[in-house]
């Protein structure tokens, strides 16, 4: 019998792929924030003004374009890290591989869609649907985890 | 010998139970936020106004009721995710099962108490005590982890 | 063959050490925030005023000294938790031990430097360089992880 948490277990490798891809997507929000700050000369700290491209650089925490990316980033943290926690534990329950794979896929693509809907300010409820699909995927794994733990 | 990170290890299954329960509690803050936003017609993005129930829906990031839930959520992120990181590594040190179980229990119930104290605005230091109990449980696991690693 | 995620694997123990140390550093920001709040009598919730040392205690979410620590804390969350996710999965790829160790070290010390640069408001780009070094270490592990997964 091979170990659960190893590259010989396809459930684990699928989880690793989608968990890492979701995390990289989340990390990309940092770069988007930096790009927006530099483009608009808007910074969060007085010492950061030296990074600005001209004398119009200023400190503000209320620029709507920067704050939209920040809220998107925080929403990722609120959802992608719980996906990792619940998903990593769910892998230990040895779920049906194809069922597990679809949970990981639905989660990842729902977060991609959520980001697009957030950054393009698509009409609601598009962003809400993206959020909900990912949320439900995580809750579904948690339900199966609790069932396995309480058996 | 059975694997550390498998459902055959009761230390791991206890950790999985309390880590998942804490994470679900944290995720519930998203639903509380949505419910409060819908109840008060207060949204964070202009496009979200379409979700509001009447024409009084407005965008604000300073509603005290919504922001209280948001701070609670962020405090969960600052504490529950570190509990998962430290706890998952602590399981590898093969601690005494009953000692490990009480660390997990104290953490989880301290966060439940913290949430109640936060949302009901109970007189201080009730919320601070809830925070501290969970914080100390995590630090205690970290101390035992470092001892095992540096031995 | 010994298990990947056990104290018999030096790659895992090195990861455990630096992941836990980074997480404890992140958790220390909570204590810094509390100390600053108590020193300046600045609180986030009305009920917290009872924790203040005199009648000048007040509620505000815009104190620059408190908010600087808060931003530092959030930046840790945005970087240290992804390091844990990617690093934990990277360990499964059985990387060259010394290469893995240097990834963990660069990440940890870059976050220590980032914190010092942030709290002392050192001239930029010092803080940006600290951020970038840790970010690149995590991305490098992710690249190696994806290579192993897609092989």
């Amino acid at each position: 019998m091979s170990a659960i948490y190893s590259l010989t277990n396809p459930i684990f490798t699928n989880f690793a792929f989608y968990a890492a891809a979701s995390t990289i997507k989340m990390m990309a929000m940092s770069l988007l924030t930096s790009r927006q700050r530099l483009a608009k000369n808007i910074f969060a700290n007085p010492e950061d003004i030296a990074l600005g491209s001209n004398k119009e650089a200023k400190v503000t925490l209320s620029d709507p374009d920067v704050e939209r990316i920040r809220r998107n980033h925080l929403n990722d943290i609120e959802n992608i890290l719980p996906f990792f926690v619940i998903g990593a534990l769910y892998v230990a329950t040895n779920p049906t591989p194809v069922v597990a794979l679809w949970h990981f896929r639905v989660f990842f693509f729902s977060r991609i869609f959520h980001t697009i809907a957030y950054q393009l300010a698509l009409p609601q409820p598009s962003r809400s649907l993206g959020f909900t699909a990912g949320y439900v995927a995580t809750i579904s794994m948690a339900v199966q985890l609790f069932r396995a733990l309480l058996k």
Side-chain angles (χ1 to χ4, degrees), chain A:
Chain A
M1 196 200 99
S2 67
I4 290 166
Y5 294 104
S6 82
L7 298 192
T8 57
N9 177 4
I11 300 167
F12 176 72
T13 55
N14 285 332
F15 172 70
F17 179 81
Y18 286 104
S22 300
T23 302
I24 296 300
K25 191 235 79 70
M26 179 168 75
M27 288 178 72
M29 303 314 286
S30 294
L31 303 186
L32 270 185
T33 302
S34 294
R35 196 185 63 165
Q36 190 70 275
R37 285 196 187 287
L38 292 169
K40 298 190 75 172
N41 274 307
I42 294 288
F43 299 97
N45 300 285
E47 69 269 26
D48 300 352
I49 285 179
L51 300 170
S53 56
N54 60 44
K55 290 179 180 169
E56 288 170 30
K58 62 174 183 170
V59 172
T60 177
L61 300 171
S62 60
D63 180 77
D65 297 324
V66 171
E67 295 310 310
R68 176 177 287 271
I69 305 173
R70 300 288 302 145
R71 284 195 297 278
N72 194 158
H73 198 165
L74 190 55
N75 195 277
D76 280 348
I77 288 171
E78 292 169 0
N79 288 278
I80 292 174
L81 295 170
F83 167 79
F84 177 76
V85 170
I86 300 292
L89 299 171
Y90 166 70
V91 166
T93 67
N94 200 24
T96 308
V98 70
V99 171
L101 178 57
W102 277 101
H103 278 80
F104 308 152
R105 277 181 180 156
V106 166
F107 179 82
F108 174 69
F109 289 106
S110 77
R111 295 308 300 179
I112 297 290
F113 177 75
H114 176 270
T115 303
I116 294 168
Y118 216 149
Q119 293 312 309
L120 301 184
L122 297 185
Q124 285 281 27
S126 53
R127 192 182 88 240
S128 291
L129 289 175
F131 168 86
T132 303
Y135 196 92
V136 168
T138 302
I139 295 292
S140 170
M141 293 192 298
V143 168
Q144 294 167 72
L145 171 63
F146 284 122
R147 272 196 194 151
L149 290 173
L150 299 174
K151 199 161 55 181

